[in-house]
Structure formats: C-alpha cells, structure tokens
Amino acid sequence: GVPLLLLAALYEDERTKPLWIAGPPGVESRVRNLAAAMGHPIEARAWRFPLHFEEFAVGRNAAVGPVQVSAFEAYHVPDTKPHGLRVEAGGLTVAYSGDTGWFDELPQRVAGSDLFICECTYHTHNQDFEYHLSYSELTERYEDFDCGRIILTHLGEEMSSRRGTCDLETADDGLSVRL
C-alpha cells in the first residue's frame, strides 16, 4: 500500500511536509520496485515534499523524524521481514507487535511500554496458521506482559465479532488514544 499512500499524499493531500518511510533492511528498494511494478515509479514524479527512507536494524535505535524507534524481530513468514517496533517520544513509549505469531521474547520486547498495540487476528489459537496471535494466547499469558495499556488490532473475523466484549481493549477505525 505504500506506493498508493505516496500518490495520495502527493495528489490528494497536497503534502509539503517531509515524509519518512521506515522499515526493515531493503525497505527503500522494495517500495521503489513495487511502485515501478504498479506503474507509478517514484523517480517519474516531482515530489513537493522531501521523501526519506530509513532502515531499522534490530536492536539499534534510530531517529525517525522527531521520535526514537527500535525494531525487534517478530514471528511471521520470513520473506516479509517481520518486525515489531518500539517508538519513544516525549518520555512515552508505544510498542507495536507487527504481524506475528507467539514467540517467547514478545513480553520482554514490549516491557515498560506505556501502550502496547498488539495484533490479534484470531479468538482461539489457529493450529493451521501460526503467524498471527490469538486472544486465547494473549489472555493465557497476560501476566507476562509488563506494560501499561494493551490495545488489540489486526482483528480477524472471529475477533471483530467480539469487539467490545473482551477483557482486553480492541481498536476500531478512528480510535483516538490519549497517553
């Protein structure tokens, strides 16, 4: 979706402020190649805003605009280069699981965050696809998490139908969070 996000920023939003696209090693070439394959090469446009690419290296902090970001490996299909993130700004930390199945280091990676935004595709563990978390896994291991607020996102059909009825908070479009 990044190439279309860039087109929307350029033509619909008429963006002029700098935009950082940050991701795992190779993010810039992946975005450029995808944009070209979609018929929207980045090089063919006159951008009204500075476009920056930043690669995250696992275990190393990086300044991305006004925030400090560190990435950690997540558990997903390896070709997708799965990563979770910790973002620090103004004395607060937000952690995001990214697409991931359960891995034992997850609670440690998000420990101390003020907000943990966690993917939760399934309600019960899906034995056929291990690369997404379930509500049952998260609630069984809830005591392992040492973080402030937890909000579940990336909800699959069985979790979406339970929105608002779970012990853990679920995200919805337009949700505004105050820390």
Side-chain angles (χ1 to χ4, degrees):
V2 174
L4 298 178
L5 171 84
L6 293 173
L7 290 176
L10 181 63
Y11 296 117
E12 294 295 322
D13 302 336
E14 298 181 358
R15 184 184 185 102
T16 57
K17 293 181 181 179
L19 179 66
W20 280 265
I21 298 173
V27 66
E28 182 173 1
S29 63
R30 283 178 171 232
V31 170
R32 288 181 182 280
N33 291 340
L34 179 58
M38 295 174 72
H40 308 293
I42 290 174
E43 297 79 12
R45 307 213 181 283
W47 298 93
R48 290 188 294 267
F49 56 91
L51 181 58
H52 307 281
F53 288 90
E54 179 74 35
E55 292 186 356
F56 295 136
V58 171
R60 191 179 78 205
N61 286 342
V64 179
V67 302
Q68 290 292 316
V69 180
S70 61
F72 58 88
E73 289 184 9
Y75 179 65
H76 204 278
V77 178
D79 289 345
T80 64
K81 302 199 183 290
H83 286 79
L85 300 174
R86 290 180 64 93
V87 179
E88 298 178 27
L92 297 172
T93 301
V94 175
Y96 173 57
S97 68
D99 270 0
T100 191
W102 180 261
F103 61 102
D104 290 337
E105 296 82 20
L106 180 60
Q108 174 189 342
R109 300 290 184 247
V110 303
S113 61
D114 298 286
L115 171 63
F116 174 36
I117 302 168
C118 185
E119 86 109 85
C120 184
T121 302
Y122 305 112
H123 185 261
T124 55
H125 183 64
N126 184 331
Q127 299 292 337
D128 296 327
F129 194 77
E130 60 188 327
Y131 295 124
H132 289 291
L133 290 170
S134 70
Y135 184 74
S136 62
E137 289 173 300
L138 292 169
T139 55
E140 285 172 19
R141 295 174 165 108
Y142 180 77
E143 295 300 321
D144 295 338
F145 289 97
D146 175 25
C147 50
R149 190 171 172 186
I150 297 175
I151 299 177
L152 306 179
T153 189
H154 196 282
L155 307 177
E157 184 178 334
E158 64 181 1
M159 274 305 294
S160 288
S161 67
R162 290 175 168 83
R163 185 178 265 122
T165 65
C166 299
D167 289 335
L168 295 174
E169 187 177 356
T170 55
D172 205 353
D173 290 348
L175 175 67
S176 179
V177 176
R178 183 177 207 87
L179 296 178

